Amino acid sequence: RSTLFPYTTLFRSSYLDNDNVSAELGPWQRLGDVESFQQEIAGPWATTLARSQEKKIVNNEIFKALMAVVAPKTSATLDGADYGVLGKATAKLRKLALSSDLVGFLDPDVEAEISSKAVSNKFITNDGVFMKLYGENAIGKYATAGWVETPDLPQITTPASAATASITLTNNVVAATDGFDEVTTISGTNLFKGAVFNVAGLKVVDTSGIQTEVPVQIVVLSANGAGTSATISPLRITLDGKAANNPNAWVATGTSSLTATYALGTSKTYVVCEVRAKDALAYDTYQFDQLPGSDDETVSTVGGSSVKMRIFGDGTNLNKLVRIDSAYAASLYEPRNAVVIYIEA
């Protein structure tokens, strides 16, 4: 195992799935109702599968971040959304000296609110490669990140009572004086997916192993029904200057406990956006092998997703079963390379 690339974290947090749709078409349907199978069925199905995949991946991966920015509302809806929020989010990543380009994802309402805040649009659109890559969803570049509009970002509504969190630190059995065992869970009250906590004195160790002054925010990935236990992105905490246990965070010498403070409001709705390193998300598509007695063909590639169509015939009634599959794996494997942005609605 490399001290700089914790591949066990990648495999542990990968999200694998196969989405599919199917329908049985009778001979009369094929004769009269479906003039163009590719246009009327295969194409729309492929698009639906790709969109559903994107939404699943976003919901599963977007909270895998060690940093967050919260933009509260002061008067009008979404008025906390502005260029300053985007600048604060990208600044956290720039302070980590990432080698990758940055890409951000904004809800359409958030993008509209931000664009309306300036006399002239501050998003720069003269990067032909970026604009071509993301097509009509590309907004432009600002604060060194390319920003993309997507309708698939989630919203969260917080409970009426503030969440609390307790973090248990256990001295590392290998280097008891240098750091702590990996932390993957927290306990507390009113915990929910997307809850954010500031942690006094906890700061990021970047992917080069350099201690930074960037504060760590803990973002809840999942919580039990009672809201008393939750999973978080793994924290490997070392003491100042020790670099124990392939750390991604550090605390001052003498630290034995951490204090977490809830960073969101109560009974509030937040639109969740994100900026991350372009290569922070690992994504790949797969194709299952051919089944005996079926006709297989790749329908199309939509948004990077390859979808495969299989056709089975039933000679007893002339029915045709059509099934389209899209298998994939996705993981935002390095939470240090992502910042979640909460815009109060």
Side-chain angles (χ1 to χ4, degrees), residues 244-310:
N245 195 27
N246 184 24
N248 58 9
W250 70 278
V251 291
T253 301
T255 300
S256 58
S257 62
L258 296 174
T259 301
T261 305
Y262 187 51
L264 302 177
T266 56
S267 299
K268 304 287 187 182
T269 297
Y270 293 90
V271 180
V272 182
C273 303
E274 184 180 61
V275 61
R276 59 171 171 82
K278 187 176 179 181
D279 59 5
L281 179 72
Y283 174 80
D284 201 3
T285 59
Y286 307 94
Q287 299 221 347
F288 298 132
D289 58 351
Q290 184 170 352
L291 293 178
S294 68
D295 290 333
D296 290 23
E297 66 175 270
T298 298
V299 177
S300 61
T301 299
V302 182
S305 299
S306 296
V307 292
K308 190 170 186 176
M309 179 174 68
R310 293 176 172 83

Side-chain angles (χ1 to χ4, degrees), residues 220-235:
V220 171
L221 303 181
S222 64
N224 65 358
T228 56
S229 178
T231 61
I232 62 172
S233 294
L235 282 173

Side-chain angles (χ1 to χ4, degrees), residues 64-67 93 274-276 332 335-340:
K64 293 180 180 179
L66 287 191
M67 294 162 288
L93 296 175
E274 184 180 61
V275 61
R276 59 171 171 82
L332 204 160
R336 284 173 289 187
N337 291 356
V339 178
V340 186

Side-chain angles (χ1 to χ4, degrees), residues 4-344:
L4 294 180
F5 187 79
Y7 60 80
T8 55
T9 299
L10 167 60
F11 294 130
R12 181 171 57 218
S13 61
S14 294
Y15 179 69
L16 296 95
D17 200 4
N18 174 58
D19 295 325
N20 66 84
V21 291
S22 62
E24 190 172 51
L25 302 175
W28 295 110
Q29 289 175 306
R30 300 196 306 273
L31 180 65
D33 294 341
V34 182
E35 296 180 358
S36 172
F37 181 82
Q38 181 69 28
Q39 179 179 355
E40 296 185 24
I41 295 180
W45 277 4
T47 300
T48 298
L49 280 179
R51 281 292 313 282
S52 65
Q53 280 185 14
E54 180 177 348
K55 195 169 186 66
K56 283 184 181 180
I57 292 170
V58 168
N59 286 334
N60 195 67
E61 304 297 316
I62 194 169
F63 295 116
K64 293 180 180 179
L66 287 191
M67 294 162 288
V69 173
V70 180
K73 180 174 66 173
T74 58
S75 56
T77 300
L78 292 175
D79 71 335
D82 57 31
Y83 288 101
V85 171
L86 305 188
K88 289 178 181 178
T90 59
K92 290 177 177 287
L93 296 175
R94 296 200 304 274
K95 292 179 74 171
L96 301 183
L98 301 179
S99 58
S100 172
D101 292 337
L102 304 182
V103 59
F105 301 90
L106 297 178
D107 177 88
D109 287 335
V110 171
E111 188 278 327
E113 179 71 22
I114 292 175
S115 296
S116 70
K117 293 293 179 64
V119 175
S120 60
N121 193 335
K122 294 184 180 181
F123 290 110
I124 301 172
T125 59
N126 62 358
D127 186 330
V129 174
F130 170 77
M131 300 302 289
K132 182 178 180 180
L133 178 64
Y134 291 99
E136 63 182 13
N137 293 323
I139 302 170
K141 287 199 167 184
Y142 179 75
T144 72
W147 296 91
V148 182
E149 182 178 284
T150 173
D152 296 322
L153 295 169
Q155 291 189 10
I156 62 170
T157 299
T158 61
S161 298
T164 65
S166 175
I167 306 163
T168 300
L169 295 181
T170 304
N171 284 114
N172 185 273
V173 294
V174 177
T177 60
D178 296 340
F180 305 94
D181 286 343
E182 184 177 76
V183 179
T184 58
T185 61
I186 58 175
S187 58
T189 60
N190 301 313
L191 296 171
F192 60 93
K193 181 177 180 178
V196 185
F197 296 90
N198 296 318
V199 185
L202 186 63
K203 301 175 183 178
V204 177
V205 174
D206 70 21
T207 54
S208 299
I210 305 299
Q211 293 182 185
T212 75
E213 295 299 321
V214 179
V216 169
Q217 279 83 34
I218 290 179
V219 183
V220 171
L221 303 181
S222 64
N224 65 358
T228 56
S229 178
T231 61
I232 62 172
S233 294
L235 282 173
R236 300 181 301 277
I237 304 170
T238 186
L239 295 177
D240 186 8
K242 297 299 184 179
N245 195 27
N246 184 24
N248 58 9
W250 70 278
V251 291
T253 301
T255 300
S256 58
S257 62
L258 296 174
T259 301
T261 305
Y262 187 51
L264 302 177
T266 56
S267 299
K268 304 287 187 182
T269 297
Y270 293 90
V271 180
V272 182
C273 303
E274 184 180 61
V275 61
R276 59 171 171 82
K278 187 176 179 181
D279 59 5
L281 179 72
Y283 174 80
D284 201 3
T285 59
Y286 307 94
Q287 299 221 347
F288 298 132
D289 58 351
Q290 184 170 352
L291 293 178
S294 68
D295 290 333
D296 290 23
E297 66 175 270
T298 298
V299 177
S300 61
T301 299
V302 182
S305 299
S306 296
V307 292
K308 190 170 186 176
M309 179 174 68
R310 293 176 172 83
I311 301 175
F312 307 84
D314 186 346
T316 61
N317 53 26
L318 296 182
N319 285 352
K320 179 188 290 186
L321 176 66
V322 180
R323 170 175 171 143
I324 297 180
D325 289 89
S326 181
Y328 61 97
S331 177
L332 204 160
Y333 63 88
E334 182 46 82
R336 284 173 289 187
N337 291 356
V339 178
V340 186
I341 304 171
Y342 292 79
I343 307 293
E344 185 183 342

